[in-house]
Amino acid sequence: MKTICLYFEIHQITHLKRYRFFDIGTDHYYYDDFENERSINYIAENSYMPALNALQEMIEQNGKAFKVAFSLSGVGMEQLEMHAPQVLEKLVELSKTGCVEFLAEPYSHGLASLKNEDSFASEVKRQMQKMQEYFGQTPQVLRNSSLIYSDDIGLQAAEMGFKGMLTEGAKHVLGWKSPHYIYSSALAPNLKLLLRDVELSDDISLRFNNSDWDEYPLFADTYVNKIARLPEEEQIVNIFMELSALGIAQPLSSNILEFLKALPAQAKAKGISFSTPTELCMKGKAVDVLNVPDTLSWVDEERDVSCWLGNEMQREAFNKLYSIADRLLIANDPRINQDWDYLQATNNFRFMTTKPSNVGLDRGIYSSPFDAFTNYMNILGDFINRVNKLYPEEIDNDELNGLLTTIKNQGDEIEMKDKEIVRLQAKIQKIEAASDKLREKYEGKKKSTAKKNEPKAEVKAVAEATVEAETQKPVAKKTVAKKAPAKKAVAKKASAKKTE
Protein backbone atom coordinates (compact mmCIF):
# COMPACT_ATOMS: atom_id res chain seq x y z
CA MET A 1 0.00 0.00 0.00
CA LYS A 2 1.31 3.43 -0.91
CA THR A 3 1.63 5.98 1.87
CA ILE A 4 2.14 9.75 1.97
CA CYS A 5 4.43 11.35 4.54
CA LEU A 6 3.36 15.01 4.82
CA TYR A 7 5.73 17.33 6.67
CA PHE A 8 5.79 21.11 7.30
CA GLU A 9 8.59 23.33 8.58
CA ILE A 10 7.86 26.34 10.82
CA HIS A 11 10.68 28.86 11.14
CA GLN A 12 10.50 32.61 11.55
CA ILE A 13 13.22 35.02 10.47
CA THR A 14 14.50 37.32 13.22
CA HIS A 15 15.12 40.58 11.36
CA LEU A 16 18.25 42.56 12.22
CA LYS A 17 18.12 46.33 12.39
CA ARG A 18 20.34 48.81 10.53
CA TYR A 19 23.57 48.73 12.52
CA ARG A 20 26.37 51.20 11.73
CA PHE A 21 30.08 50.87 12.34
CA PHE A 22 29.91 53.61 14.98
CA ASP A 23 27.32 51.59 16.93
CA ILE A 24 29.95 48.98 17.77
CA GLY A 25 30.67 49.08 21.49
CA THR A 26 27.75 51.38 22.30
CA ASP A 27 24.64 49.48 21.17
CA HIS A 28 24.26 45.79 22.02
CA TYR A 29 20.70 45.35 20.76
CA TYR A 30 20.61 44.14 17.14
CA TYR A 31 16.96 43.56 16.22
CA ASP A 32 14.19 45.34 14.38
CA ASP A 33 11.33 44.70 16.81
CA PHE A 34 8.74 46.49 14.71
CA GLU A 35 9.50 44.42 11.60
CA ASN A 36 9.67 41.19 13.59
CA GLU A 37 6.23 41.79 15.12
CA ARG A 38 4.73 42.96 11.82
CA SER A 39 6.04 40.07 9.73
CA ILE A 40 5.16 37.27 12.12
CA ASN A 41 1.65 38.61 12.70
CA TYR A 42 1.17 38.84 8.94
CA ILE A 43 2.33 35.26 8.40
CA ALA A 44 0.31 33.98 11.36
CA GLU A 45 -2.87 35.63 10.07
CA ASN A 46 -2.45 34.76 6.39
CA SER A 47 -0.76 31.37 6.61
CA TYR A 48 -0.12 29.63 9.93
CA MET A 49 -3.55 29.90 11.53
CA PRO A 50 -5.64 29.19 8.39
CA ALA A 51 -3.36 26.27 7.47
CA LEU A 52 -3.37 24.77 10.97
CA ASN A 53 -7.17 25.11 11.18
CA ALA A 54 -7.44 23.29 7.86
CA LEU A 55 -5.16 20.49 9.09
CA GLN A 56 -7.19 20.20 12.29
CA GLU A 57 -10.35 19.88 10.22
CA MET A 58 -8.71 17.17 8.13
CA ILE A 59 -7.80 15.23 11.27
CA GLU A 60 -11.30 15.56 12.72
CA GLN A 61 -12.93 14.40 9.50
CA ASN A 62 -10.56 11.52 8.82
CA GLY A 63 -9.55 10.38 12.29
CA LYS A 64 -6.38 8.32 12.47
CA ALA A 65 -6.37 7.96 8.70
CA PHE A 66 -4.73 11.38 8.26
CA LYS A 67 -1.37 12.18 9.83
CA VAL A 68 1.08 15.06 9.52
CA ALA A 69 4.50 16.05 10.89
CA PHE A 70 6.03 19.41 11.89
CA SER A 71 9.37 20.75 12.96
CA LEU A 72 9.82 24.14 14.62
CA SER A 73 13.06 26.02 15.14
CA GLY A 74 13.67 27.25 18.68
CA VAL A 75 14.18 30.85 17.53
CA GLY A 76 10.95 30.64 15.53
CA MET A 77 9.10 29.46 18.62
CA GLU A 78 10.53 32.36 20.62
CA GLN A 79 9.12 34.79 18.06
CA LEU A 80 5.75 33.05 18.20
CA GLU A 81 5.77 33.18 22.00
CA MET A 82 6.26 36.95 21.91
CA HIS A 83 4.04 37.98 19.01
CA ALA A 84 1.70 35.12 17.96
CA PRO A 85 1.12 32.67 20.85
CA GLN A 86 -2.14 31.54 19.24
CA VAL A 87 -0.08 29.55 16.72
CA LEU A 88 1.60 27.54 19.47
CA GLU A 89 -1.74 27.03 21.22
CA LYS A 90 -3.18 25.60 18.01
CA LEU A 91 -0.19 23.28 17.62
CA VAL A 92 -0.71 22.05 21.19
CA GLU A 93 -4.32 21.26 20.28
CA LEU A 94 -3.16 19.34 17.22
CA SER A 95 -0.60 17.39 19.25
CA LYS A 96 -3.38 16.06 21.49
CA THR A 97 -5.09 14.37 18.53
CA GLY A 98 -2.39 11.70 18.32
CA CYS A 99 -2.10 12.30 14.57
CA VAL A 100 0.76 14.81 14.67
CA GLU A 101 4.47 14.18 15.08
CA PHE A 102 7.09 16.79 15.98
CA LEU A 103 10.64 16.40 14.69
CA ALA A 104 14.00 17.58 15.99
CA GLU A 105 16.02 20.30 14.31
CA PRO A 106 18.74 22.84 15.30
CA TYR A 107 17.44 25.44 17.74
CA SER A 108 18.82 28.38 15.72
CA HIS A 109 17.96 27.00 12.28
CA GLY A 110 21.66 27.57 11.65
CA LEU A 111 24.63 25.95 9.93
CA ALA A 112 26.43 24.51 12.95
CA SER A 113 26.32 21.01 11.44
CA LEU A 114 28.78 22.22 8.78
CA LYS A 115 31.33 23.57 11.26
CA ASN A 116 31.03 22.53 14.90
CA GLU A 117 29.65 19.15 16.00
CA ASP A 118 29.35 20.12 19.66
CA SER A 119 27.36 23.25 18.86
CA PHE A 120 25.10 21.27 16.53
CA ALA A 121 24.43 18.59 19.16
CA SER A 122 23.76 21.22 21.83
CA GLU A 123 21.26 23.03 19.63
CA VAL A 124 19.35 19.90 18.71
CA LYS A 125 19.16 18.88 22.36
CA ARG A 126 17.73 22.27 23.38
CA GLN A 127 15.12 22.16 20.63
CA MET A 128 14.10 18.64 21.68
CA GLN A 129 13.58 19.86 25.24
CA LYS A 130 11.26 22.56 23.91
CA MET A 131 9.29 19.94 21.95
CA GLN A 132 8.91 17.91 25.13
CA GLU A 133 7.81 20.92 27.16
CA TYR A 134 5.19 22.08 24.67
CA PHE A 135 3.93 18.90 23.05
CA GLY A 136 4.99 16.06 25.33
CA GLN A 137 6.95 14.37 22.54
CA THR A 138 10.58 13.31 22.39
CA PRO A 139 11.55 13.48 18.70
CA GLN A 140 12.88 10.29 17.13
CA VAL A 141 13.61 11.76 13.70
CA LEU A 142 15.94 14.65 12.89
CA ARG A 143 15.40 17.33 10.29
CA ASN A 144 18.43 19.57 9.81
CA SER A 145 18.11 23.22 8.71
CA SER A 146 16.85 23.29 5.08
CA LEU A 147 17.29 19.48 4.94
CA ILE A 148 21.09 19.84 5.03
CA TYR A 149 22.66 16.38 5.01
CA SER A 150 25.89 14.51 4.37
CA ASP A 151 27.32 11.15 5.40
CA ASP A 152 29.17 12.79 8.31
CA ILE A 153 26.03 14.57 9.54
CA GLY A 154 24.13 11.29 9.29
CA LEU A 155 26.74 9.58 11.45
CA GLN A 156 26.41 12.28 14.11
CA ALA A 157 22.60 12.00 14.01
CA ALA A 158 22.87 8.25 14.60
CA GLU A 159 25.28 8.79 17.49
CA MET A 160 22.73 11.18 19.01
CA GLY A 161 20.20 8.33 19.02
CA PHE A 162 17.89 9.26 16.15
CA LYS A 163 16.07 6.53 14.23
CA GLY A 164 15.85 8.50 11.00
CA MET A 165 16.55 11.75 9.21
CA LEU A 166 14.86 13.77 6.47
CA THR A 167 16.76 15.04 3.46
CA GLU A 168 16.41 16.01 -0.18
CA GLY A 169 15.80 13.54 -2.97
CA ALA A 170 18.32 15.34 -5.17
CA LYS A 171 18.89 13.90 -8.65
CA HIS A 172 22.66 14.31 -8.52
CA VAL A 173 22.70 12.10 -5.40
CA LEU A 174 20.05 9.55 -6.36
CA GLY A 175 21.10 9.03 -9.97
CA TRP A 176 18.83 6.29 -11.31
CA LYS A 177 17.37 5.57 -7.85
CA SER A 178 13.90 6.66 -6.77
CA PRO A 179 13.09 8.83 -3.72
CA HIS A 180 10.11 6.59 -3.00
CA TYR A 181 12.04 4.13 -0.82
CA ILE A 182 13.71 4.17 2.58
CA TYR A 183 17.51 4.33 2.44
CA SER A 184 20.19 3.95 5.10
CA SER A 185 23.08 6.27 5.88
CA ALA A 186 26.44 5.25 4.42
CA LEU A 187 28.36 5.67 7.69
CA ALA A 188 25.51 4.69 10.03
CA PRO A 189 23.47 1.78 8.59
CA ASN A 190 20.93 1.95 11.43
CA LEU A 191 19.94 5.53 10.51
CA LYS A 192 17.11 5.53 7.97
CA LEU A 193 16.73 8.31 5.42
CA LEU A 194 13.45 9.68 4.08
CA LEU A 195 13.93 11.56 0.81
CA ARG A 196 11.77 14.47 -0.28
CA ASP A 197 9.95 14.05 -3.59
CA VAL A 198 11.08 17.27 -5.24
CA GLU A 199 8.48 17.38 -8.01
CA LEU A 200 5.41 16.53 -5.96
CA SER A 201 6.46 18.87 -3.13
CA ASP A 202 7.19 21.80 -5.44
CA ASP A 203 3.90 21.26 -7.30
CA ILE A 204 2.21 22.53 -4.15
CA SER A 205 4.76 24.89 -2.60
CA LEU A 206 6.08 26.61 -5.76
CA ARG A 207 3.86 26.02 -8.79
CA PHE A 208 0.30 25.71 -7.50
CA ASN A 209 -0.75 29.29 -8.35
CA ASN A 210 1.38 29.65 -11.48
CA SER A 211 -1.02 30.11 -14.40
CA ASP A 212 1.83 29.54 -16.88
CA TRP A 213 2.45 26.04 -15.51
CA ASP A 214 1.29 23.35 -17.95
CA GLU A 215 -0.52 21.47 -15.13
CA TYR A 216 -2.38 24.56 -13.89
CA PRO A 217 -4.90 24.41 -12.28
CA LEU A 218 -3.95 21.48 -10.07
CA PHE A 219 -6.81 19.51 -8.51
CA ALA A 220 -6.63 17.01 -5.65
CA ASP A 221 -7.77 14.05 -7.74
CA THR A 222 -5.17 14.80 -10.43
CA TYR A 223 -2.46 15.07 -7.81
CA VAL A 224 -3.40 11.80 -6.08
CA ASN A 225 -3.71 10.01 -9.43
CA LYS A 226 -0.13 11.01 -10.17
CA ILE A 227 0.92 9.30 -6.93
CA ALA A 228 -1.24 6.23 -7.63
CA ARG A 229 0.38 5.78 -11.05
CA LEU A 230 3.86 5.39 -9.56
CA PRO A 231 5.32 1.88 -9.91
CA GLU A 232 3.72 -0.56 -7.49
CA GLU A 233 6.96 -1.22 -5.62
CA GLU A 234 7.47 2.51 -4.93
CA GLN A 235 5.43 2.74 -1.75
CA ILE A 236 6.62 5.90 0.06
CA VAL A 237 5.94 9.46 -1.10
CA ASN A 238 7.53 12.19 1.04
CA ILE A 239 5.99 15.65 0.57
CA PHE A 240 8.00 18.22 2.52
CA MET A 241 7.60 22.02 2.50
CA GLU A 242 7.44 25.15 4.62
CA LEU A 243 4.06 25.78 6.27
CA SER A 244 4.21 29.36 4.97
CA ALA A 245 3.83 27.94 1.45
CA LEU A 246 0.15 27.62 2.36
CA GLY A 247 -0.98 31.23 2.31
CA ILE A 248 2.22 33.17 1.56
CA ALA A 249 4.05 31.51 -1.35
CA GLN A 250 0.66 30.29 -2.56
CA PRO A 251 -2.00 32.83 -1.50
CA LEU A 252 -5.23 31.74 0.14
CA SER A 253 -7.10 33.15 -2.85
CA SER A 254 -5.61 30.33 -4.96
CA ASN A 255 -7.79 27.83 -3.01
CA ILE A 256 -4.67 26.07 -1.79
CA LEU A 257 -6.37 25.04 1.47
CA GLU A 258 -9.40 23.59 -0.34
CA PHE A 259 -6.97 21.55 -2.42
CA LEU A 260 -5.22 20.35 0.73
CA LYS A 261 -8.44 19.40 2.52
CA ALA A 262 -9.54 17.29 -0.46
CA LEU A 263 -6.38 15.12 -0.41
CA PRO A 264 -7.35 12.59 2.33
CA ALA A 265 -10.62 11.56 0.64
CA GLN A 266 -8.94 11.25 -2.75
CA ALA A 267 -6.09 9.25 -1.26
CA LYS A 268 -8.48 6.90 0.53
CA ALA A 269 -10.33 6.27 -2.72
CA LYS A 270 -7.06 5.11 -4.26
CA GLY A 271 -6.03 3.00 -1.28
CA ILE A 272 -3.28 5.43 -0.24
CA SER A 273 -2.62 6.04 3.46
CA PHE A 274 -0.78 8.72 5.48
CA SER A 275 2.17 8.01 7.78
CA THR A 276 4.48 9.96 10.07
CA PRO A 277 8.28 9.85 9.67
CA THR A 278 8.79 7.76 12.82
CA GLU A 279 6.22 5.19 11.68
CA LEU A 280 8.08 4.78 8.40
CA CYS A 281 11.45 4.48 10.12
CA MET A 282 10.18 1.95 12.65
CA LYS A 283 8.19 -0.27 10.27
CA GLY A 284 9.94 0.15 6.94
CA LYS A 285 13.18 -1.45 5.79
CA ALA A 286 15.98 0.31 3.97
CA VAL A 287 16.42 -0.97 0.42
CA ASP A 288 19.90 0.43 -0.14
CA VAL A 289 22.66 2.67 1.19
CA LEU A 290 22.68 6.33 0.13
CA ASN A 291 26.14 7.79 -0.33
CA VAL A 292 26.28 11.56 0.20
CA PRO A 293 29.95 12.59 0.53
CA ASP A 294 29.14 16.23 -0.36
CA THR A 295 26.58 18.25 1.55
CA LEU A 296 23.11 18.67 0.01
CA SER A 297 20.02 20.71 0.90
CA TRP A 298 16.58 21.56 -0.51
CA VAL A 299 17.54 25.09 -1.67
CA ASP A 300 18.03 26.29 -5.27
CA GLU A 301 18.68 24.17 -8.35
CA GLU A 302 22.05 22.95 -7.12
CA ARG A 303 20.55 21.46 -3.92
CA ASP A 304 23.76 22.22 -2.01
CA VAL A 305 25.00 24.85 0.48
CA SER A 306 26.12 27.43 -2.08
CA CYS A 307 23.20 29.74 -1.28
CA TRP A 308 24.80 30.31 2.17
CA LEU A 309 28.51 29.75 1.52
CA GLY A 310 28.89 30.36 -2.20
CA ASN A 311 30.94 33.57 -2.14
CA GLU A 312 33.83 35.08 -0.18
CA MET A 313 31.61 37.39 1.87
CA GLN A 314 29.47 34.52 3.11
CA ARG A 315 32.45 32.34 3.98
CA GLU A 316 34.17 35.22 5.80
CA ALA A 317 31.07 35.88 7.92
CA PHE A 318 30.54 32.15 8.53
CA ASN A 319 34.12 31.48 9.64
CA LYS A 320 34.19 34.60 11.80
CA LEU A 321 30.97 33.60 13.56
CA TYR A 322 32.01 30.03 14.32
CA SER A 323 35.51 31.05 15.39
CA ILE A 324 33.99 31.73 18.81
CA ALA A 325 31.72 28.66 18.89
CA ASP A 326 33.84 26.83 21.47
CA ARG A 327 33.81 29.86 23.74
CA LEU A 328 30.04 30.06 23.50
CA LEU A 329 29.70 26.48 24.71
CA ILE A 330 30.74 27.60 28.20
CA ALA A 331 28.83 30.91 28.20
CA ASN A 332 26.29 31.38 30.98
CA ASP A 333 25.11 34.83 29.94
CA PRO A 334 21.46 34.49 28.74
CA ARG A 335 21.67 37.56 26.51
CA ILE A 336 24.88 36.33 24.85
CA ASN A 337 23.34 32.90 24.26
CA GLN A 338 20.19 34.36 22.73
CA ASP A 339 22.14 36.63 20.38
CA TRP A 340 24.26 33.63 19.39
CA ASP A 341 21.12 31.74 18.36
CA TYR A 342 19.74 34.61 16.29
CA LEU A 343 23.05 35.37 14.55
CA GLN A 344 23.43 31.75 13.44
CA ALA A 345 20.14 31.63 11.51
CA THR A 346 20.64 30.64 7.85
CA ASN A 347 18.79 33.67 6.45
CA ASN A 348 21.61 35.97 7.65
CA PHE A 349 23.95 34.25 5.19
CA ARG A 350 21.43 33.86 2.40
CA PHE A 351 20.87 37.61 2.29
CA MET A 352 24.52 37.84 1.16
CA THR A 353 24.14 35.48 -1.81
CA THR A 354 25.16 36.68 -5.27
CA LYS A 355 23.57 33.75 -7.10
CA PRO A 356 21.24 34.83 -9.94
CA SER A 357 18.56 32.24 -9.12
CA ASN A 358 17.01 32.84 -5.71
CA VAL A 359 13.43 31.63 -5.51
CA GLY A 360 11.41 33.55 -2.94
CA LEU A 361 14.36 35.58 -1.62
CA ASP A 362 13.43 38.87 0.05
CA ARG A 363 16.47 40.77 1.37
CA GLY A 364 14.32 43.05 3.52
CA ILE A 365 16.22 46.17 4.57
CA TYR A 366 19.26 45.28 2.46
CA SER A 367 19.77 46.83 -0.97
CA SER A 368 22.44 44.33 -2.05
CA PRO A 369 24.46 41.31 -0.88
CA PHE A 370 27.31 43.64 0.12
CA ASP A 371 24.90 45.75 2.18
CA ALA A 372 23.74 42.61 4.01
CA PHE A 373 27.37 41.57 4.60
CA THR A 374 28.40 44.97 5.96
CA ASN A 375 25.48 45.22 8.38
CA TYR A 376 25.96 41.67 9.63
CA MET A 377 29.71 42.09 10.15
CA ASN A 378 29.17 45.29 12.15
CA ILE A 379 26.83 43.40 14.47
CA LEU A 380 29.16 40.41 14.62
CA GLY A 381 32.08 42.71 15.53
CA ASP A 382 30.19 44.06 18.54
CA PHE A 383 29.04 40.57 19.53
CA ILE A 384 32.58 39.13 19.42
CA ASN A 385 33.84 42.01 21.58
CA ARG A 386 31.21 41.14 24.19
CA VAL A 387 32.20 37.48 24.12
CA ASN A 388 35.88 38.38 24.50
CA LYS A 389 35.08 40.41 27.61
CA LEU A 390 33.59 37.27 29.14
CA TYR A 391 36.35 35.00 27.86
CA PRO A 392 39.45 37.05 26.99
CA GLU A 393 41.39 36.21 23.88
CA GLU A 394 44.42 35.57 26.10
CA ILE A 395 42.84 32.23 26.98
CA ASP A 396 44.44 30.03 24.35
CA ASN A 397 42.76 27.09 22.67
CA ASP A 398 44.54 24.49 24.81
CA GLU A 399 43.38 26.14 28.01
CA LEU A 400 39.88 26.58 26.63
CA ASN A 401 39.79 22.95 25.49
CA GLY A 402 40.86 21.97 29.00
CA LEU A 403 37.97 23.95 30.45
CA LEU A 404 35.55 22.42 27.98
CA THR A 405 36.83 18.92 28.74
CA THR A 406 36.43 19.51 32.47
CA ILE A 407 32.89 20.81 31.97
CA LYS A 408 32.03 17.89 29.71
CA ASN A 409 33.41 15.38 32.24
CA GLN A 410 31.45 17.05 35.02
CA GLY A 411 28.33 16.97 32.87
CA ASP A 412 28.85 13.27 32.15
CA GLU A 413 29.40 12.59 35.85
CA ILE A 414 26.24 14.49 36.79
CA GLU A 415 24.29 12.58 34.14
CA MET A 416 25.58 9.26 35.48
CA LYS A 417 24.68 10.25 39.04
CA ASP A 418 21.22 11.33 37.92
CA LYS A 419 20.72 7.93 36.31
CA GLU A 420 21.97 6.24 39.47
CA ILE A 421 19.56 8.32 41.57
CA VAL A 422 16.67 7.30 39.32
CA ARG A 423 17.72 3.66 39.58
CA LEU A 424 17.98 3.80 43.37
CA GLN A 425 14.64 5.59 43.67
CA ALA A 426 13.02 2.84 41.63
CA LYS A 427 14.70 0.23 43.84
CA ILE A 428 13.49 1.98 47.00
CA GLN A 429 9.96 2.06 45.64
CA LYS A 430 10.10 -1.68 44.99
CA ILE A 431 11.44 -2.34 48.49
CA GLU A 432 8.76 -0.15 50.06
CA ALA A 433 6.07 -1.90 48.04
CA ALA A 434 7.35 -5.32 49.16
CA SER A 435 7.56 -4.07 52.75
CA ASP A 436 3.95 -2.86 52.61
CA LYS A 437 2.81 -6.25 51.35
CA LEU A 438 4.66 -8.08 54.13
CA ARG A 439 3.25 -5.66 56.72
CA GLU A 440 -0.29 -6.21 55.44
CA LYS A 441 0.26 -9.96 55.46
CA TYR A 442 1.68 -9.90 59.00
CA GLU A 443 -1.14 -7.70 60.34
CA GLY A 444 -3.69 -10.01 58.71
CA LYS A 445 -2.20 -13.05 60.46
CA LYS A 446 -2.06 -11.18 63.76
CA LYS A 447 -5.75 -10.30 63.58
CA SER A 448 -6.61 -13.89 62.65
CA THR A 449 -4.62 -15.23 65.64
CA ALA A 450 -6.26 -12.73 67.97
CA LYS A 451 -9.74 -13.88 66.92
CA LYS A 452 -8.83 -17.53 67.52
CA ASN A 453 -7.52 -16.71 71.03
CA GLU A 454 -10.57 -14.64 72.10
CA PRO A 455 -12.41 -17.56 74.01
CA LYS A 456 -9.23 -18.45 75.95
CA ALA A 457 -8.87 -14.85 77.00
CA GLU A 458 -12.44 -14.77 78.36
CA VAL A 459 -11.89 -17.99 80.41
CA LYS A 460 -8.66 -16.58 81.81
CA ALA A 461 -10.43 -13.34 82.79
CA VAL A 462 -13.20 -15.26 84.61
CA ALA A 463 -10.65 -17.41 86.44
CA GLU A 464 -8.68 -14.39 87.56
CA ALA A 465 -11.87 -12.72 88.85
CA THR A 466 -12.81 -15.87 90.83
CA VAL A 467 -9.39 -16.12 92.39
CA GLU A 468 -9.53 -12.51 93.41
CA ALA A 469 -12.96 -12.98 95.02
CA GLU A 470 -11.83 -16.02 96.89
CA THR A 471 -8.78 -14.18 98.11
CA GLN A 472 -10.83 -11.29 99.50
CA LYS A 473 -13.23 -13.49 101.66
CA PRO A 474 -10.73 -14.69 104.28
CA VAL A 475 -9.48 -11.14 104.69
CA ALA A 476 -13.03 -10.00 105.63
CA LYS A 477 -13.45 -12.77 108.31
CA LYS A 478 -10.16 -11.89 109.97
CA THR A 479 -11.18 -8.28 110.16
CA VAL A 480 -14.47 -9.18 111.90
CA ALA A 481 -12.65 -11.47 114.28
CA LYS A 482 -10.29 -8.73 115.32
CA LYS A 483 -13.07 -6.24 115.89
CA ALA A 484 -15.13 -8.59 118.17
CA PRO A 485 -12.75 -8.51 121.21
CA ALA A 486 -12.70 -4.76 121.09
CA LYS A 487 -16.45 -4.63 121.52
CA LYS A 488 -16.32 -7.04 124.50
CA ALA A 489 -13.72 -4.86 126.24
CA VAL A 490 -15.93 -1.81 125.92
CA ALA A 491 -18.86 -3.75 127.38
CA LYS A 492 -16.81 -4.81 130.44
CA LYS A 493 -15.78 -1.24 131.17
CA ALA A 494 -19.38 -0.08 131.00
CA SER A 495 -20.60 -2.73 133.46
CA ALA A 496 -17.79 -1.86 135.91
CA LYS A 497 -18.85 1.76 136.00
CA LYS A 498 -22.43 0.74 136.77
CA THR A 499 -21.29 -1.44 139.73
CA GLU A 500 -19.39 1.44 141.21
Side-chain angles (χ1 to χ4, degrees):
M1 173 187 269
K2 285 183 170 57
T3 189
I4 296 172
C5 180
L6 185 62
Y7 153 79
F8 295 102
E9 175 208 14
I10 299 177
H11 167 64
Q12 182 61 33
I13 291 175
T14 302
H15 296 274
L16 303 178
K17 70 180 181 182
R18 180 63 68 181
Y19 195 90
R20 310 290 181 183
F21 175 80
F22 297 102
D23 294 326
I24 297 175
T26 61
D27 183 3
H28 303 318
Y29 192 77
Y30 312 134
Y31 314 108
D32 186 340
D33 290 335
F34 175 80
E35 180 58 23
N36 285 324
E37 183 175 3
R38 185 207 65 79
S39 61
I40 198 167
N41 280 323
Y42 177 80
I43 294 174
E45 181 180 350
N46 293 278
S47 173
Y48 291 166
M49 289 307 295
L52 293 175
N53 286 329
L55 291 167
Q56 185 177 32
E57 183 180 334
M58 294 163 71
I59 292 172
E60 292 172 351
Q61 291 179 352
N62 297 278
K64 300 294 182 181
F66 176 73
K67 298 174 183 179
V68 64
F70 296 96
S71 75
L72 297 88
S73 68
V75 294
M77 293 184 73
E78 288 182 9
Q79 292 294 312
L80 291 171
E81 288 170 342
M82 286 189 288
H83 304 302
Q86 69 273 19
V87 175
L88 293 174
E89 291 170 3
K90 180 59 67 175
L91 285 167
V92 170
E93 286 183 36
L94 288 171
S95 70
K96 294 177 181 178
T97 64
C99 299
V100 176
E101 179 180 352
F102 292 90
L103 310 184
E105 75 162 64
Y107 193 96
S108 71
H109 198 269
L111 302 172
S113 61
L114 304 177
K115 191 70 173 179
N116 193 297
E117 290 186 0
D118 292 335
S119 292
F120 177 60
S122 174
E123 285 199 51
V124 171
K125 185 176 180 179
R126 285 193 292 129
Q127 189 267 357
M128 291 175 65
Q129 290 172 347
K130 215 164 181 67
M131 295 300 100
Q132 180 64 42
E133 291 170 5
Y134 266 91
F135 311 117
Q137 294 189 25
T138 301
Q140 301 295 313
V141 175
L142 173 64
R143 182 262 185 201
N144 199 3
S145 309
S146 299
L147 296 189
I148 292 173
Y149 177 80
S150 69
D151 292 336
D152 292 332
I153 295 173
L155 176 60
Q156 187 177 0
E159 291 173 346
M160 292 166 66
F162 289 106
K163 305 297 183 185
M165 192 167 177
L166 309 188
T167 189
E168 181 78 340
K171 291 181 180 179
H172 71 275
V173 172
L174 284 171
W176 56 270
K177 297 176 182 178
S178 167
H180 304 137
Y181 295 96
I182 297 175
Y183 294 90
S184 62
S185 176
L187 300 181
N190 291 331
L191 183 76
K192 295 177 180 177
L193 303 177
L194 302 180
L195 308 185
R196 174 177 178 260
D197 186 306
V198 178
E199 180 182 353
L200 289 171
S201 299
D202 289 352
D203 282 351
I204 299 175
S205 63
L206 296 182
R207 294 184 283 269
F208 185 82
N209 194 44
N210 183 3
S211 58
D212 294 329
W213 180 36
D214 56 3
E215 294 185 33
Y216 178 86
L218 181 63
F219 295 102
D221 57 347
T222 306
Y223 188 79
V224 172
N225 285 337
K226 187 186 292 189
I227 296 173
R229 286 196 300 269
L230 292 171
E232 184 178 351
E233 62 273 14
E234 297 185 13
Q235 296 289 312
I236 298 171
V237 179
N238 299 309
I239 302 171
F240 305 159
M241 68 190 78
E242 297 177 0
L243 186 63
S244 60
L246 309 179
I248 302 299
Q250 308 304 318
L252 298 178
S253 59
S254 67
N255 293 322
I256 184 71
L257 295 184
E258 285 67 25
F259 165 85
L260 186 71
K261 288 188 282 189
L263 288 178
Q266 294 296 327
K268 183 178 180 181
K270 294 292 183 179
I272 300 173
S273 64
F274 286 84
S275 300
T276 63
T278 296
E279 288 177 342
L280 294 178
C281 291
M282 296 298 288
K283 298 177 183 179
K285 293 183 179 180
V287 298
D288 199 0
V289 173
L290 190 70
N291 292 289
V292 188
D294 299 320
T295 311
L296 63 89
S297 75
W298 71 356
V299 180
D300 292 345
E301 290 295 324
E302 295 83 359
R303 310 292 177 186
D304 58 13
V305 297
S306 60
C307 64
W308 305 293
L309 302 176
N311 62 46
E312 287 298 326
M313 292 186 297
Q314 292 171 313
R315 290 190 289 272
E316 171 67 18
F318 177 78
N319 291 328
K320 192 76 172 176
L321 175 67
Y322 284 99
S323 68
I324 58 171
D326 290 339
R327 295 175 184 273
L328 266 296
L329 288 174
I330 59 174
N332 286 322
D333 188 296
R335 180 71 181 277
I336 288 284
N337 291 338
Q338 186 179 57
D339 291 340
W340 169 247
D341 287 335
Y342 293 158
L343 292 177
Q344 286 188 87
T346 58
N347 55 276
N348 293 315
F349 300 96
R350 196 177 184 199
F351 291 152
M352 306 174 198
T353 185
T354 53
K355 293 176 65 176
S357 174
N358 293 286
V359 178
L361 177 61
D362 179 5
R363 286 194 170 91
I365 64 171
Y366 305 124
S367 58
S368 67
F370 181 76
D371 186 25
F373 171 75
T374 302
N375 199 69
Y376 183 80
M377 293 304 285
N378 286 340
I379 291 173
L380 187 57
D382 182 78
F383 179 70
I384 291 176
N385 288 340
R386 291 164 58 204
V387 174
N388 287 336
K389 286 182 180 178
L390 288 176
Y391 307 103
E393 290 180 290
E394 288 75 17
I395 301 177
D396 59 24
N397 288 336
D398 291 338
E399 187 177 353
L400 184 60
N401 287 334
L403 290 172
L404 290 174
T405 301
T406 301
I407 291 171
K408 183 178 184 302
N409 291 338
Q410 289 175 345
D412 293 341
E413 186 177 351
I414 291 171
E415 186 176 354
M416 289 178 62
K417 287 183 177 179
D418 288 341
K419 290 180 179 179
E420 181 67 12
I421 289 171
V422 172
R423 186 185 69 80
L424 291 174
Q425 286 176 339
K427 190 174 182 179
I428 289 171
Q429 289 177 352
K430 289 182 180 179
I431 292 172
E432 289 178 345
S435 177
D436 291 340
K437 288 182 180 179
L438 287 173
R439 188 180 293 107
E440 290 175 1
K441 187 176 180 181
Y442 173 75
E443 289 177 353
K445 287 184 177 180
K446 190 175 180 181
K447 289 179 181 179
S448 176
T449 304
K451 288 182 180 179
K452 290 180 181 178
N453 293 334
E454 280 180 1
K456 295 181 181 179
E458 290 177 1
V459 171
K460 184 178 179 182
V462 172
E464 289 176 350
T466 304
V467 170
E468 184 178 358
E470 292 296 328
T471 304
Q472 290 176 353
K473 286 180 181 179
V475 172
K477 290 178 180 177
K478 287 179 183 178
T479 303
V480 173
K482 287 180 180 179
K483 287 181 178 180
K487 289 181 180 180
K488 289 179 180 179
V490 172
K492 285 181 180 180
K493 287 181 180 181
S495 61
K497 286 180 179 181
K498 286 180 182 181
T499 306
E500 291 175 0

